[in-house]
Amino acid sequence: MGVLYNRSTSEILSDRVELVRTRFKPIAALMPRRRPPEDGGLWFDNCDAFRRLGTRTRTDLIFLDRELCVVRLEHRVGPGRAILWCRETDSVLAMSDGFC
């Protein structure tokens, strides 16, 4: 597990972030068996899109650029959403519902 913190304030946002390396850019899938840990999340490296098909829970998505700065936030993304995409994104954080 890794730690997610705010670079500007040095505040720890979560100490339960798991890195998930993806083989293929642009799509990573958050499947039910890979649900974010409670009060934590999954960090999908090397992806610029996210699909929510086949999931059962809501998730907060944070799209990050190459310097790990936030490019886009999606709050409470529900099950069944096809694909969320952001051109400037290099990785995606899928955090437990209510994180953002």
Side-chain angles (χ1 to χ4, degrees):
M1 292 277 175
V3 176
L4 174 67
Y5 72 97
N6 183 325
R7 255 191 273 189
S8 302
T9 64
S10 297
E11 174 189 4
I12 293 178
L13 304 174
S14 175
D15 60 357
R16 301 189 57 175
V17 177
E18 180 183 339
L19 175 63
V20 178
R21 296 231 181 248
T22 56
R23 288 180 161 177
F24 307 105
K25 195 171 185 170
I27 298 173
L30 180 63
M31 301 307 286
R33 66 185 180 282
R34 298 293 293 176
R35 200 169 63 198
E38 193 172 318
D39 298 326
L42 299 172
W43 178 23
F44 292 89
D45 191 22
N46 191 32
C47 88
D48 61 1
F50 208 84
R51 63 183 172 153
R52 291 299 321 259
L53 299 174
T55 60
R56 296 186 182 129
T57 60
R58 293 189 178 277
T59 307
D60 290 345
L61 298 176
I62 304 169
F63 293 82
L64 305 169
D65 65 10
R66 196 172 294 271
E67 286 80 37
L68 302 179
C69 294
V70 175
V71 182
R72 178 179 173 185
L73 290 173
E74 290 289 335
H75 303 282
R76 298 183 50 97
V77 177
R81 288 288 301 267
I83 295 177
L84 298 168
W85 175 71
C86 184
R87 173 184 280 167
E88 302 86 18
T89 302
D90 193 58
S91 61
V92 179
L93 273 169
M95 303 302 288
S96 55
D97 184 23
F99 180 81
C100 295

